Amino acid sequence: MGRKAQKGTAPPKATRERRPARRLQGVDPRVLAGQLYELHARAERGGDQGYLERWPGDGETHGVLLFAQAHAGRLAGEAHQQATLLRITLAEWLRQQADPLQLRALDDARGVGVRWDQVALALQYIGADGEPNPSSAFNRHASLKVAVHGEPEDRRQPHVARIIEARVVREELERRERERTEDARYPAMDAAARALLAHFQAGEILSDPDDNFWWDELVEVVDDRRDATERANLVVYVRGAVHETHAYARRTGQEPTTTAPAAAALEVASALVDPGGAST
């Protein structure tokens, strides 16, 4: 008699402590609302007339959900199933939009001296003794930090909030340092960008006639650098144009430039965007 097949060991159930923060990806609520509308429009053509005149508009997500819930019974079969799934996704999208708004409200409240027991009252976190529960309000604030600022692998738990706070601070410091570095070399980057464009527009720098994305972008932004962030980002466009030209030159076996001054301008720009690196 053969051995009984052993049952595979089921993976451990995701507990509250293990469960990662979830975020919807690639959801456009207007598109989903439009799909809901079409389901109801088909139902209206086959039965009740006129009720879609009260449709709130695709951009009114909360109103769309209320309308779709109130008129769910007008749908049948597969259309009814599709509509319920669309409502689930829309409701989840709407809930996730509320998280950063509530977090900002809590931050603002604490910033102006509102106590945790007052926050608990606003959230109606009331204990069995009828008193507000400030620790629940504190935990809500902490979990919102994880939900809003955390990564998908982060656990949505209050004790992780300190890690998230430290990460946000670190990333902000790194961003400011990058901006300071790029802002300091902005004059050189600006000069390199303008030299590149002069030679490009003179037809002395090779480009793909079917794909000039980065060159077109560089033309648009070079005269529109108004603050430190925008000045720091100029390197992105210069790098893109330089890489685009070198990549096309490699694909076609051509030289990236047709004149010595253009070659010099391209070399200067390459050194700025890839300091210490090899030719792109």
Side-chain angles (χ1 to χ4, degrees), residues 115-120 125 131-140:
R115 301 187 311 274
W116 284 118
D117 60 334
Q118 293 174 293
V119 174
Y125 289 167
E131 294 296 320
N133 189 336
S135 63
S136 293
F138 176 85
N139 287 341
R140 174 60 179 166

Side-chain angles (χ1 to χ4, degrees), residues 3-276:
R3 291 186 303 169
K4 291 183 179 179
Q6 293 183 344
K7 293 183 179 179
T9 303
K13 186 176 180 180
T15 64
R16 183 174 175 83
E17 289 72 24
R18 293 174 180 170
R19 192 177 302 136
R22 296 176 296 108
R23 293 194 189 104
L24 292 176
Q25 301 293 327
V27 171
D28 186 335
R30 290 177 178 269
V31 172
L32 299 187
Q35 292 172 358
L36 263 175
Y37 181 90
E38 289 303 317
L39 290 172
H40 280 277
R42 288 198 292 270
E44 186 187 47
R45 287 193 292 270
D48 297 332
Q49 300 294 315
Y51 78 93
L52 271 179
E53 293 176 0
R54 299 188 295 277
W55 180 260
D58 294 351
E60 299 292 334
T61 305
H62 185 256
V64 166
L65 282 167
L66 291 175
F67 181 95
Q69 177 177 289
H71 297 283
R74 298 179 186 271
L75 303 177
E78 185 177 349
H80 197 175
Q81 293 178 350
Q82 291 175 1
T84 59
L85 293 173
L86 288 168
R87 286 165 53 202
I88 289 170
T89 304
L90 273 175
E92 179 65 11
W93 179 89
L94 189 62
R95 187 192 64 76
Q96 291 185 9
Q97 302 315 298
D99 282 350
L101 296 175
Q102 189 176 62
L103 176 60
R104 178 58 185 271
L106 284 164
D107 286 340
D108 289 349
R110 293 294 294 161
V112 295
V114 175
R115 301 187 311 274
W116 284 118
D117 60 334
Q118 293 174 293
V119 174
L121 279 174
L123 292 170
Q124 297 189 5
Y125 289 167
I126 308 298
D129 58 0
E131 294 296 320
N133 189 336
S135 63
S136 293
F138 176 85
N139 287 341
R140 174 60 179 166
H141 185 226
S143 63
L144 279 171
K145 288 180 182 177
V146 179
V148 174
H149 297 303
E151 300 297 333
E153 66 271 14
D154 291 325
R155 300 166 183 170
R156 188 167 176 170
Q157 291 294 300
H159 69 272
V160 186
R162 291 188 296 275
I163 300 173
I164 303 300
E165 284 180 330
R167 180 192 299 159
V168 170
V169 170
R170 184 179 68 253
E171 290 174 350
E172 176 63 16
L173 290 174
E174 290 173 352
R175 183 189 66 80
R176 292 181 182 179
E177 181 59 30
R178 283 195 303 272
E179 284 189 0
R180 280 195 293 269
T181 300
E182 293 299 338
D183 206 29
R185 64 175 188 159
Y186 173 73
M189 191 66 66
D190 180 62
R194 294 179 188 280
L196 280 177
L197 285 175
H199 291 292
F200 172 74
Q201 291 166 343
E204 299 170 359
I205 294 181
L206 188 66
S207 66
D208 186 343
D210 297 322
D211 185 12
N212 274 339
F213 174 79
W214 284 111
W215 285 105
D216 291 342
E217 289 292 301
L218 185 57
V219 170
E220 291 292 325
V221 305
V222 72
D223 290 322
D224 190 28
R225 305 288 88 189
R226 290 167 293 185
D227 57 33
T229 299
E230 291 181 346
R231 290 192 295 272
N233 286 341
L234 181 60
V235 65
V236 174
Y237 300 95
V238 175
R239 181 184 293 116
V242 168
H243 287 193
E244 195 172 88
T245 287
H246 281 296
Y248 186 62
R250 285 195 299 270
R251 290 198 306 272
T252 60
Q254 301 179 68
E255 290 296 323
T257 59
T258 59
T259 66
L266 188 61
E267 184 177 350
V268 168
S270 298
L272 281 172
V273 299
D274 292 312

